Amino acid sequence: MLAADVVGLSAWQVAAAVIIVIIGSATQASIGIGLGLLAAPTLSLIDPAFIPGAIAIAVVPLTVGMTVREHEHVDREIYRAAIGRLAGVVVGAWLLTRAGDGFIAIVIGASVLLAVIGSATGIRFAPTRRNVMIAGTASGFTGTVAAIGGPPMALTYQHSDPRTLRSSLAAFNMIGSAFTIPSLIIAGVIGLRELQLALVLVPGVFVGLWFGRIGIARLPAERVRLFVLIACASSAIILLGHELT
């Protein structure tokens, strides 16, 4: 398998990574969140180099596609959150230059569990201007350090109309990529290998975007969300157990 030869992974590892990205992308295309939550913990177990650089690049086609598909439902307040995201990105990129893979893995696991607990307990954060700014900053930090930028914004918009949640998060993440990717390059986190790994994942992103529109999007959103929460919590616990033992 040519992709495996290029990135130094086995054919089974490449196949597993692509399947994980397809599932995560399809879920995100349907309910607005899923790729980072599902893929970050599991991909980091396959190869830590996937996180955060490779997935930060690979997610761009997904967020662009979702934003274009439902642009009329984007909450305009989301663009103010981009200011907060920039601050979070700067802090996150600085931290990456001083932290090892183990610390990043712990941040990933903790971020996922906090997002799951918040969603499961029904915490309600209204998307006010202040809350959106705070969530934007937190998202910039976790997205840069752990490739999981969705939870803070998702918790803020979780009780909004599903179309508003999907499109607003997609627009926010699309804009955020313009901050995150250059910051990771400057910090030395994204190099040739991370770019190669991202290219391996991109086909899975496109398949997931397509499948999410015609398949999972027809299922009740609450059932899909329950599956995501269970899968993400399991992945986070496995990752934290691996790093803390």
Side-chain angles (χ1 to χ4, degrees):
M1 190 172 182
L2 180 59
D5 292 337
V6 171
V7 298
L9 301 176
S10 70
W12 287 108
Q13 287 175 314
V14 170
V18 172
I19 291 172
I20 290 166
V21 168
I22 290 174
I23 296 172
S25 298
T27 304
Q28 183 158 330
S30 173
I31 66 173
I33 189 171
L35 178 55
L37 282 173
L38 183 61
T42 48
L43 288 180
S44 65
L45 294 176
I46 296 174
D47 190 324
F50 275 118
I51 309 299
I55 198 170
I57 298 172
V59 76
V60 172
L62 178 63
T63 57
V64 172
M66 291 176 63
T67 302
V68 171
R69 188 180 70 189
E70 297 185 283
H71 64 90
E72 67 273 17
H73 300 292
V74 176
D75 179 11
R76 301 305 169 187
E77 287 294 333
I78 207 71
Y79 298 114
R80 297 180 184 276
I83 300 173
R85 172 134 187 175
L86 177 59
V89 166
V90 171
V91 174
W94 174 82
L95 182 61
L96 279 173
T97 64
R98 290 160 172 77
D101 291 338
F103 175 80
I104 293 174
I106 292 173
V107 171
I108 292 171
S111 299
V112 171
L113 284 180
L114 287 174
V116 170
I117 293 170
S119 294
T121 56
I123 295 176
R124 183 181 291 272
F125 298 104
T128 62
R129 183 171 299 180
R130 184 195 66 180
N131 288 347
V132 166
M133 282 287 291
I134 294 173
T137 303
S139 178
F141 176 78
T142 61
T144 302
V145 172
I148 304 178
M153 298 305 301
L155 289 175
T156 304
Y157 281 92
Q158 65 175 313
H159 297 292
S160 301
D161 180 272
R163 293 171 299 181
T164 300
L165 186 151
R166 283 195 304 266
S167 59
S168 299
L169 264 63
F172 175 74
N173 289 324
M174 179 183 67
I175 297 171
S177 295
F179 303 147
T180 301
I181 294 175
S183 297
L184 293 177
I185 293 174
I186 294 172
V189 176
I190 292 180
L192 178 60
R193 186 158 190 272
E194 285 73 24
L195 178 60
Q196 293 170 336
L197 289 172
L199 293 176
V200 169
L201 299 179
V202 165
V205 170
F206 279 110
V207 172
L209 179 62
W210 172 80
F211 185 71
R213 181 175 183 178
I214 69 170
I216 295 181
R218 297 179 182 177
L219 298 175
E222 287 303 319
R223 291 188 180 181
V224 178
R225 183 174 289 111
L226 177 61
F227 166 77
V228 172
L229 293 178
I230 294 173
C232 291
S234 301
S235 298
I237 292 171
I238 292 172
L239 180 59
L240 287 171
H242 179 267
E243 293 298 331
L244 296 175
T245 57

Coordinates of all heavy atoms in Angstrom, one line a residue, residues 59-151:
V59 N -9.0 18.6 8.3 CA -10.3 19.0 8.6 C -10.8 20.1 7.8 O -12.0 20.4 7.7 CB -10.5 19.4 10.1 CG1 -9.8 20.7 10.4 CG2 -11.9 19.3 10.6
V60 N -9.9 20.8 7.1 CA -10.3 22.0 6.3 C -11.4 21.7 5.3 O -12.4 22.5 5.2 CB -9.0 22.7 5.7 CG1 -9.4 23.8 4.7 CG2 -8.1 23.2 6.8
P61 N -11.2 20.7 4.4 CA -12.3 20.5 3.4 C -13.6 20.2 4.1 O -14.7 20.6 3.5 CB -11.8 19.2 2.7 CG -10.3 19.2 2.9 CD -10.1 19.8 4.3
L62 N -13.7 19.6 5.3 CA -14.9 19.3 5.9 C -15.6 20.6 6.4 O -16.8 20.8 6.1 CB -14.7 18.4 7.1 CG -15.9 18.1 8.0 CD1 -16.9 17.3 7.2 CD2 -15.5 17.3 9.3
T63 N -14.9 21.5 7.0 CA -15.5 22.7 7.5 C -15.9 23.7 6.4 O -16.9 24.3 6.5 CB -14.5 23.5 8.5 OG1 -13.3 23.8 7.8 CG2 -14.2 22.6 9.7
V64 N -15.1 23.7 5.3 CA -15.5 24.5 4.2 C -16.7 24.0 3.5 O -17.7 24.7 3.2 CB -14.3 24.5 3.1 CG1 -14.8 25.2 1.8 CG2 -13.1 25.3 3.7
G65 N -16.8 22.6 3.3 CA -18.0 22.0 2.7 C -19.2 22.3 3.5 O -20.3 22.6 3.0
M66 N -19.1 22.1 4.9 CA -20.3 22.3 5.7 C -20.7 23.8 5.7 O -21.9 24.1 5.7 CB -20.0 21.9 7.1 CG -19.8 20.4 7.3 SD -19.3 19.9 9.0 CE -20.7 20.5 9.9
T67 N -19.8 24.7 5.7 CA -20.1 26.1 5.7 C -20.8 26.5 4.4 O -21.8 27.2 4.5 CB -18.9 27.0 5.9 OG1 -18.2 26.6 7.1 CG2 -19.2 28.5 5.9
V68 N -20.3 26.1 3.3 CA -20.9 26.4 2.0 C -22.3 25.8 1.9 O -23.3 26.4 1.5 CB -20.1 25.9 0.9 CG1 -20.8 26.0 -0.5 CG2 -18.7 26.6 0.8
R69 N -22.5 24.6 2.4 CA -23.8 23.8 2.4 C -24.9 24.5 3.1 O -26.0 24.6 2.7 CB -23.6 22.4 2.9 CG -24.8 21.5 2.7 CD -24.5 20.1 3.2 NE -24.4 20.1 4.7 CZ -24.1 19.1 5.4 NH1 -23.6 18.0 4.8 NH2 -24.0 19.2 6.7
E70 N -24.6 25.1 4.3 CA -25.6 25.7 5.1 C -25.3 27.1 5.6 O -25.5 27.5 6.7 CB -25.8 24.8 6.4 CG -26.3 23.4 6.0 CD -26.7 22.6 7.3 OE1 -25.7 22.1 7.9 OE2 -27.9 22.5 7.6
H71 N -24.7 27.9 4.7 CA -24.2 29.2 5.0 C -25.3 30.2 5.5 O -25.0 31.1 6.3 CB -23.5 29.8 3.8 CG -24.4 30.1 2.6 ND1 -25.0 31.3 2.5 CD2 -24.7 29.3 1.6 CE1 -25.7 31.2 1.3 NE2 -25.6 30.1 0.8
E72 N -26.5 30.0 5.0 CA -27.6 30.9 5.4 C -28.0 30.7 6.9 O -28.7 31.6 7.4 CB -28.8 30.7 4.5 CG -29.5 29.3 4.7 CD -28.9 28.2 3.8 OE1 -27.8 28.4 3.3 OE2 -29.6 27.2 3.6
H73 N -27.5 29.6 7.6 CA -27.9 29.4 9.0 C -26.8 29.8 9.9 O -27.0 29.6 11.2 CB -28.3 27.9 9.2 CG -29.4 27.5 8.3 ND1 -30.7 27.9 8.5 CD2 -29.5 26.6 7.3 CE1 -31.5 27.3 7.7 NE2 -30.8 26.5 6.9
V74 N -25.7 30.3 9.5 CA -24.6 30.7 10.3 C -25.0 31.9 11.2 O -25.5 32.9 10.8 CB -23.3 31.1 9.5 CG1 -22.2 31.6 10.4 CG2 -22.9 29.9 8.7
D75 N -24.7 31.7 12.5 CA -25.0 32.8 13.5 C -23.8 33.8 13.4 O -22.7 33.5 13.5 CB -25.0 32.2 14.9 CG -25.2 33.3 16.0 OD1 -25.5 34.4 15.6 OD2 -25.0 32.9 17.2
R76 N -24.2 35.0 13.1 CA -23.2 36.1 12.9 C -22.3 36.3 14.1 O -21.2 36.8 13.9 CB -23.8 37.4 12.4 CG -24.7 37.2 11.2 CD -23.9 36.6 10.0 NE -24.7 36.3 8.9 CZ -24.3 35.6 7.8 NH1 -23.0 35.2 7.8 NH2 -25.1 35.3 6.8
E77 N -22.7 36.0 15.3 CA -21.9 36.2 16.5 C -20.7 35.3 16.4 O -19.7 35.6 17.1 CB -22.7 35.9 17.7 CG -23.7 36.9 18.1 CD -23.1 38.2 18.5 OE1 -22.0 38.2 19.0 OE2 -23.8 39.3 18.3
I78 N -20.7 34.3 15.6 CA -19.6 33.3 15.6 C -18.3 34.0 15.0 O -17.2 33.6 15.4 CB -19.9 32.1 14.7 CG1 -19.1 30.9 15.1 CG2 -19.7 32.4 13.2 CD1 -19.6 30.3 16.4
Y79 N -18.5 35.1 14.2 CA -17.3 35.7 13.7 C -16.6 36.5 14.8 O -15.4 36.8 14.7 CB -17.7 36.7 12.5 CG -18.3 35.9 11.4 CD1 -19.7 36.0 11.0 CD2 -17.6 34.9 10.7 CE1 -20.2 35.3 10.0 CE2 -18.1 34.2 9.6 CZ -19.4 34.4 9.3 OH -20.0 33.6 8.3
R80 N -17.3 37.0 15.8 CA -16.7 37.7 16.9 C -15.8 36.7 17.7 O -14.8 37.0 18.3 CB -17.7 38.3 17.9 CG -18.6 39.3 17.2 CD -19.6 39.9 18.2 NE -20.5 40.9 17.6 CZ -20.2 42.2 17.5 NH1 -19.0 42.6 18.0 NH2 -21.1 43.0 16.9
A81 N -16.2 35.4 17.8 CA -15.5 34.4 18.5 C -14.1 34.2 17.9 O -13.2 33.7 18.5 CB -16.3 33.1 18.5
A82 N -14.0 34.5 16.6 CA -12.7 34.3 15.9 C -11.6 35.1 16.6 O -10.4 34.7 16.6 CB -12.8 34.7 14.5
I83 N -12.0 36.3 17.2 CA -11.0 37.1 17.9 C -10.4 36.3 19.1 O -9.2 36.3 19.3 CB -11.6 38.4 18.3 CG1 -12.1 39.2 17.1 CG2 -10.6 39.3 19.1 CD1 -12.9 40.5 17.5
G84 N -11.4 35.7 19.8 CA -10.9 34.9 21.0 C -10.1 33.7 20.6 O -9.2 33.3 21.2
R85 N -10.5 33.1 19.4 CA -9.8 32.0 18.9 C -8.3 32.3 18.7 O -7.4 31.5 19.0 CB -10.4 31.4 17.7 CG -9.6 30.3 17.0 CD -10.5 29.2 16.6 NE -9.7 28.1 16.1 CZ -10.2 26.9 15.8 NH1 -11.4 26.6 16.0 NH2 -9.4 25.9 15.4
L86 N -8.1 33.5 18.1 CA -6.7 33.8 17.8 C -5.9 33.9 19.1 O -4.7 33.4 19.1 CB -6.7 35.2 17.1 CG -5.3 35.8 16.8 CD1 -4.5 34.8 15.9 CD2 -5.4 37.2 16.2
A87 N -6.4 34.4 20.2 CA -5.7 34.5 21.4 C -5.4 33.1 21.9 O -4.3 32.8 22.4 CB -6.5 35.3 22.5
G88 N -6.4 32.2 21.9 CA -6.2 30.8 22.3 C -5.2 30.1 21.5 O -4.4 29.2 22.0
V89 N -5.1 30.3 20.2 CA -4.2 29.7 19.3 C -2.8 30.1 19.6 O -1.9 29.2 19.7 CB -4.5 30.1 17.8 CG1 -3.3 29.7 16.9 CG2 -5.7 29.4 17.3
V90 N -2.5 31.4 19.9 CA -1.2 31.8 20.3 C -0.7 31.1 21.5 O 0.5 30.7 21.6 CB -1.2 33.4 20.4 CG1 0.1 33.8 21.0 CG2 -1.5 34.1 19.1
V91 N -1.5 31.1 22.5 CA -1.1 30.4 23.8 C -0.9 28.9 23.6 O 0.1 28.4 24.0 CB -2.2 30.6 24.9 CG1 -1.9 29.8 26.1 CG2 -2.4 32.1 25.2
G92 N -1.8 28.3 22.8 CA -1.6 26.9 22.5 C -0.4 26.6 21.7 O 0.3 25.6 22.0
A93 N -0.1 27.4 20.7 CA 1.2 27.1 19.9 C 2.4 27.3 20.8 O 3.4 26.6 20.6 CB 1.2 28.1 18.7
W94 N 2.4 28.3 21.7 CA 3.5 28.5 22.6 C 3.7 27.3 23.5 O 4.9 26.8 23.7 CB 3.3 29.8 23.4 CG 4.4 30.0 24.4 CD1 5.6 30.6 24.3 CD2 4.3 29.6 25.8 NE1 6.3 30.6 25.5 CE2 5.5 30.0 26.4 CE3 3.3 29.0 26.6 CZ2 5.8 29.8 27.8 CZ3 3.6 28.8 27.9 CH2 4.8 29.2 28.5
L95 N 2.6 26.8 24.0 CA 2.7 25.6 24.9 C 3.3 24.4 24.1 O 4.0 23.6 24.7 CB 1.3 25.3 25.5 CG 1.3 24.2 26.5 CD1 2.2 24.4 27.7 CD2 -0.2 23.9 26.9
L96 N 2.9 24.2 22.9 CA 3.4 23.1 22.1 C 4.9 23.0 22.0 O 5.4 21.9 21.9 CB 2.7 23.0 20.7 CG 1.3 22.5 20.7 CD1 0.7 22.7 19.3 CD2 1.3 21.0 21.1
T97 N 5.5 24.2 22.0 CA 7.0 24.2 21.9 C 7.7 23.8 23.1 O 8.9 23.5 23.2 CB 7.4 25.6 21.5 OG1 7.1 26.5 22.5 CG2 6.8 26.1 20.2
R98 N 6.9 23.6 24.2 CA 7.5 23.3 25.5 C 6.9 22.1 26.2 O 7.3 21.7 27.3 CB 7.3 24.5 26.5 CG 8.1 25.7 26.1 CD 7.6 27.0 26.7 NE 8.6 28.1 26.4 CZ 8.7 28.7 25.3 NH1 8.0 28.3 24.3 NH2 9.6 29.6 25.1
A99 N 5.9 21.4 25.5 CA 5.3 20.2 26.1 C 5.6 19.0 25.2 O 5.7 19.1 24.0 CB 3.8 20.5 26.2
G100 N 5.6 17.8 25.9 CA 5.8 16.6 25.1 C 4.5 16.0 24.7 O 3.4 16.4 25.1
D101 N 4.7 14.9 24.0 CA 3.5 14.2 23.5 C 2.6 13.6 24.6 O 1.4 13.6 24.5 CB 3.9 13.0 22.6 CG 4.5 13.4 21.3 OD1 4.3 14.6 20.9 OD2 5.3 12.6 20.7
G102 N 3.2 13.2 25.7 CA 2.4 12.7 26.8 C 1.5 13.8 27.4 O 0.3 13.5 27.7
F103 N 2.0 15.0 27.6 CA 1.1 16.0 28.1 C 0.0 16.3 27.1 O -1.2 16.5 27.6 CB 2.0 17.3 28.3 CG 1.1 18.5 28.7 CD1 0.7 18.7 30.0 CD2 0.8 19.5 27.8 CE1 -0.1 19.7 30.4 CE2 0.0 20.6 28.2 CZ -0.4 20.7 29.5
I104 N 0.3 16.4 25.8 CA -0.7 16.7 24.8 C -1.8 15.6 24.9 O -3.0 15.9 24.8 CB -0.1 16.8 23.4 CG1 0.8 18.0 23.4 CG2 -1.2 16.9 22.4 CD1 1.6 18.2 22.1
A105 N -1.4 14.3 25.0 CA -2.3 13.2 25.1 C -3.3 13.4 26.2 O -4.5 13.1 26.2 CB -1.6 11.9 25.1
I106 N -2.7 13.8 27.4 CA -3.6 14.0 28.6 C -4.6 15.1 28.3 O -5.7 15.0 28.7 CB -2.7 14.3 29.8 CG1 -1.9 13.0 30.2 CG2 -3.5 14.7 31.0 CD1 -0.8 13.3 31.3
V107 N -4.1 16.2 27.7 CA -5.0 17.3 27.4 C -6.2 16.8 26.5 O -7.3 17.2 26.6 CB -4.3 18.5 26.7 CG1 -5.2 19.5 26.2 CG2 -3.3 19.1 27.7
I108 N -5.8 16.0 25.5 CA -6.8 15.5 24.6 C -7.9 14.7 25.4 O -9.1 14.9 25.2 CB -6.2 14.5 23.5 CG1 -5.3 15.3 22.6 CG2 -7.2 13.8 22.7 CD1 -4.5 14.5 21.7
G109 N -7.4 13.7 26.2 CA -8.3 12.9 26.9 C -9.2 13.7 27.9 O -10.4 13.5 28.0
A110 N -8.6 14.7 28.6 CA -9.4 15.5 29.5 C -10.4 16.4 28.8 O -11.5 16.5 29.3 CB -8.4 16.3 30.4
S111 N -10.0 16.9 27.7 CA -10.9 17.8 26.9 C -12.1 17.0 26.4 O -13.2 17.5 26.5 CB -10.2 18.4 25.7 OG -9.1 19.2 26.1
V112 N -11.9 15.8 26.0 CA -13.0 14.9 25.5 C -13.9 14.6 26.6 O -15.1 14.7 26.5 CB -12.4 13.6 24.8 CG1 -13.6 12.7 24.5 CG2 -11.7 14.0 23.5
L113 N -13.4 14.2 27.8 CA -14.2 13.8 28.9 C -15.0 15.0 29.4 O -16.2 14.8 29.7 CB -13.4 13.2 30.0 CG -12.9 11.8 29.8 CD1 -12.0 11.4 31.0 CD2 -14.0 10.8 29.6
L114 N -14.4 16.2 29.4 CA -15.2 17.3 29.9 C -16.3 17.7 28.9 O -17.4 18.0 29.3 CB -14.2 18.5 30.0 CG -13.3 18.5 31.2 CD1 -12.3 19.7 31.1 CD2 -14.0 18.6 32.5
A115 N -16.1 17.5 27.6 CA -17.1 17.8 26.6 C -18.2 16.8 26.8 O -19.4 17.1 26.7 CB -16.5 17.7 25.2
V116 N -17.9 15.5 27.0 CA -18.9 14.5 27.2 C -19.7 14.7 28.4 O -21.0 14.7 28.4 CB -18.3 13.1 27.3 CG1 -19.3 12.0 27.7 CG2 -17.6 12.7 25.9
I117 N -19.1 15.0 29.5 CA -19.8 15.3 30.8 C -20.7 16.5 30.6 O -21.9 16.5 31.1 CB -18.8 15.5 31.9 CG1 -18.1 14.2 32.3 CG2 -19.5 16.0 33.2 CD1 -16.9 14.4 33.2
G118 N -20.2 17.5 30.0 CA -21.0 18.7 29.8 C -22.3 18.5 29.0 O -23.4 18.9 29.3
S119 N -22.1 17.7 27.9 CA -23.3 17.4 27.0 C -24.2 16.4 27.7 O -25.5 16.6 27.6 CB -22.8 16.7 25.7 OG -22.0 17.6 25.0
A120 N -23.7 15.5 28.5 CA -24.6 14.5 29.1 C -25.4 15.1 30.3 O -26.5 14.7 30.5 CB -23.7 13.3 29.7
T121 N -24.8 16.1 30.9 CA -25.5 16.7 32.1 C -26.4 17.8 31.6 O -27.1 18.4 32.5 CB -24.5 17.2 33.1 OG1 -23.6 18.1 32.5 CG2 -23.7 16.1 33.7
G122 N -26.4 18.2 30.4 CA -27.3 19.2 29.8 C -27.0 20.6 30.3 O -27.9 21.4 30.4
I123 N -25.7 20.9 30.5 CA -25.3 22.2 30.8 C -25.7 23.2 29.7 O -25.5 22.9 28.5 CB -23.8 22.3 31.0 CG1 -23.3 21.5 32.3 CG2 -23.3 23.8 31.2 CD1 -21.9 21.4 32.5
R124 N -26.3 24.3 30.1 CA -26.9 25.2 29.1 C -26.1 26.5 29.1 O -26.1 27.2 30.1 CB -28.4 25.5 29.3 CG -29.0 26.4 28.3 CD -30.5 26.6 28.6 NE -31.2 25.4 28.5 CZ -31.8 25.0 27.3 NH1 -31.7 25.8 26.3 NH2 -32.5 23.9 27.3
F125 N -25.4 26.8 28.0 CA -24.7 28.1 27.9 C -25.4 28.8 26.7 O -25.3 28.4 25.6 CB -23.3 27.9 27.6 CG -22.5 27.2 28.7 CD1 -22.1 25.9 28.6 CD2 -22.2 27.9 29.9 CE1 -21.5 25.2 29.6 CE2 -21.5 27.2 30.9 CZ -21.1 25.9 30.8
A126 N -26.0 29.9 27.0 CA -26.6 30.7 25.9 C -25.5 31.3 25.0 O -24.5 31.8 25.6 CB -27.5 31.8 26.4
P127 N -25.7 31.4 23.7 CA -24.7 31.9 22.8 C -24.7 33.5 22.9 O -24.9 34.1 21.8 CB -25.0 31.4 21.5 CG -26.5 31.2 21.5 CD -26.8 30.8 23.0
T128 N -24.5 34.1 24.1 CA -24.4 35.5 24.2 C -23.0 35.9 23.6 O -22.1 35.1 23.4 CB -24.5 36.0 25.6 OG1 -23.4 35.4 26.4 CG2 -25.8 35.5 26.2
R129 N -22.8 37.2 23.5 CA -21.6 37.7 22.9 C -20.4 37.4 23.8 O -19.3 37.0 23.4 CB -21.7 39.3 22.8 CG -20.4 39.9 22.2 CD -20.7 41.4 21.8 NE -21.8 41.5 20.9 CZ -22.2 42.7 20.4 NH1 -21.6 43.8 20.9 NH2 -23.2 42.7 19.5
R130 N -20.6 37.5 25.2 CA -19.5 37.2 26.1 C -19.2 35.7 26.1 O -18.0 35.3 26.0 CB -20.0 37.6 27.5 CG -18.9 37.4 28.6 CD -19.4 37.4 30.0 NE -20.3 36.3 30.3 CZ -20.9 36.1 31.4 NH1 -20.8 37.0 32.4 NH2 -21.8 35.1 31.6
N131 N -20.2 34.9 26.1 CA -20.0 33.4 26.2 C -19.3 32.9 24.9 O -18.5 32.0 24.9 CB -21.3 32.7 26.4 CG -21.8 32.8 27.8 OD1 -21.1 33.3 28.7 ND2 -23.1 32.4 28.0
V132 N -19.7 33.5 23.8 CA -19.1 33.1 22.5 C -17.7 33.5 22.5 O -16.8 32.7 22.0 CB -19.9 33.8 21.3 CG1 -19.1 33.7 20.0 CG2 -21.3 33.1 21.2
M133 N -17.3 34.7 23.0 CA -15.9 35.1 23.1 C -15.1 34.1 24.0 O -14.0 33.7 23.6 CB -15.8 36.5 23.6 CG -16.1 37.5 22.5 SD -14.8 37.7 21.3 CE -13.5 38.4 22.3
I134 N -15.6 33.8 25.1 CA -14.9 32.9 26.1 C -14.8 31.5 25.4 O -13.7 30.9 25.4 CB -15.7 32.8 27.4 CG1 -15.7 34.1 28.1 CG2 -15.1 31.6 28.2 CD1 -16.6 34.1 29.4
A135 N -15.8 31.0 24.8 CA -15.8 29.7 24.2 C -14.8 29.7 23.0 O -14.1 28.7 22.7 CB -17.1 29.3 23.7
G136 N -14.7 30.8 22.3 CA -13.8 31.0 21.2 C -12.4 30.9 21.6 O -11.5 30.2 21.0
T137 N -12.0 31.5 22.7 CA -10.7 31.5 23.2 C -10.3 30.1 23.7 O -9.2 29.5 23.4 CB -10.5 32.4 24.4 OG1 -10.9 33.7 24.0 CG2 -9.1 32.4 25.0
A138 N -11.2 29.4 24.4 CA -11.0 28.0 24.9 C -10.8 27.1 23.7 O -10.0 26.2 23.7 CB -12.1 27.6 25.8
S139 N -11.6 27.3 22.7 CA -11.6 26.5 21.5 C -10.3 26.6 20.7 O -9.7 25.7 20.2 CB -12.7 26.8 20.6 OG -12.7 26.1 19.4
G140 N -9.8 27.9 20.7 CA -8.5 28.1 20.0 C -7.4 27.4 20.7 O -6.5 26.8 20.1
F141 N -7.4 27.4 22.1 CA -6.4 26.7 22.8 C -6.4 25.2 22.6 O -5.5 24.5 22.3 CB -6.5 27.0 24.3 CG -5.5 26.3 25.2 CD1 -4.2 26.7 25.2 CD2 -5.9 25.2 25.9 CE1 -3.3 26.0 26.0 CE2 -5.0 24.5 26.7 CZ -3.7 24.9 26.8
T142 N -7.6 24.6 22.9 CA -7.7 23.1 22.8 C -7.6 22.6 21.4 O -7.1 21.5 21.1 CB -9.1 22.6 23.3 OG1 -10.2 23.2 22.6 CG2 -9.2 23.0 24.8
G143 N -8.0 23.4 20.4 CA -7.9 23.0 19.0 C -6.4 23.0 18.6 O -6.0 22.2 17.8
T144 N -5.6 24.0 19.1 CA -4.2 24.0 18.7 C -3.4 22.9 19.4 O -2.6 22.3 18.8 CB -3.6 25.4 19.1 OG1 -4.4 26.4 18.4 CG2 -2.2 25.5 18.7
V145 N -3.7 22.7 20.7 CA -2.9 21.8 21.5 C -3.3 20.4 21.2 O -2.5 19.5 21.1 CB -3.0 22.1 23.0 CG1 -2.4 21.0 23.9 CG2 -2.4 23.4 23.3
A146 N -4.6 20.1 21.1 CA -5.1 18.8 21.1 C -6.0 18.4 19.8 O -6.5 17.3 19.7 CB -6.0 18.5 22.3
A147 N -6.1 19.4 18.9 CA -6.9 19.2 17.7 C -8.4 18.9 18.0 O -9.1 18.3 17.3 CB -6.3 18.0 16.8
I148 N -8.8 19.4 19.2 CA -10.2 19.3 19.6 C -10.7 20.7 19.9 O -10.7 21.1 21.1 CB -10.4 18.4 20.8 CG1 -9.8 17.0 20.5 CG2 -11.8 18.2 21.2 CD1 -9.9 16.0 21.7
G149 N -11.1 21.4 18.9 CA -11.6 22.8 19.1 C -13.1 22.9 19.2 O -13.6 23.9 19.6
G150 N -13.8 21.8 18.9 CA -15.3 21.9 18.9 C -16.0 22.0 20.2 O -17.0 22.7 20.3
P151 N -15.6 21.2 21.2 CA -16.4 21.1 22.5 C -16.8 22.5 23.1 O -18.0 22.6 23.4 CB -15.5 20.3 23.4 CG -14.8 19.4 22.5 CD -14.5 20.2 21.3

